[in-house]
Amino acid sequence: METRPLHPEIVRPEDWDARVDRLSEKMPDGLRRAFDWLREPSRLWLRVGAAILFILGGIFAILPVLGLWMLPLGLALLAQDVPGLKVPLEKSARWIEATWKRLKERWRNRNR
């Protein structure tokens, strides 16, 4: 496996795939098995249907049980089959990580 330095300005679809693989390794066993099962290429229509339902659930976040958490999950599932979503999702994830890091630093240094 090729290793390359992570540059924020260079984003490839493979970066998103690697991120999803790393995140799935952190899941509990049962959830990881279900996630890996859903990611198999033969589950295309089930995966797309689930992605659309998650996205719709995220749009109706005002209702009980449904929530905004469903929108990114639906987009992540959809990115498995729509390669054009991988780069924007990876850029968004990097932006969120950088923003979170800045906020943590600001919080830690607030009383110094």
Side-chain angles (χ1 to χ4, degrees):
M1 177 186 247
E2 175 188 335
T3 326
R4 67 181 187 89
L6 187 65
H7 298 290
E9 66 277 355
I10 301 172
V11 180
R12 301 180 314 177
E14 297 82 21
D15 297 336
W16 176 255
D17 293 332
R19 177 182 299 275
V20 171
D21 289 340
R22 284 191 310 271
L23 289 173
S24 72
E25 290 172 0
K26 296 179 180 181
M27 293 179 184
D29 289 337
L31 184 59
R32 180 178 40 237
R33 282 193 304 272
F35 185 74
D36 290 341
W37 179 84
L38 193 58
R39 288 182 68 203
E40 288 180 18
S42 63
R43 310 282 193 289
L44 170 71
W45 294 110
L46 183 61
R47 184 173 48 252
V48 170
I52 291 170
L53 288 175
F54 275 118
I55 291 169
L56 288 174
I59 291 171
F60 296 112
I62 194 167
L63 300 172
V65 180
L66 305 176
L68 201 54
W69 63 271
M70 297 175 89
L71 185 61
L73 183 59
L75 289 172
L77 273 176
L78 198 56
Q80 183 78 20
D81 301 304
V82 182
L85 284 176
K86 291 181 180 184
V87 170
L89 286 173
E90 178 64 23
K91 285 182 179 180
S92 297
R94 290 182 187 190
W95 179 82
I96 290 168
E97 286 176 343
T99 302
W100 184 253
K101 185 177 179 181
R102 279 195 316 273
L103 288 172
K104 279 183 9 183
E105 285 300 315
R106 196 176 297 168
W107 179 258
R108 286 184 186 146
N109 297 328
R110 70 186 185 282
N111 292 327
R112 290 185 185 179

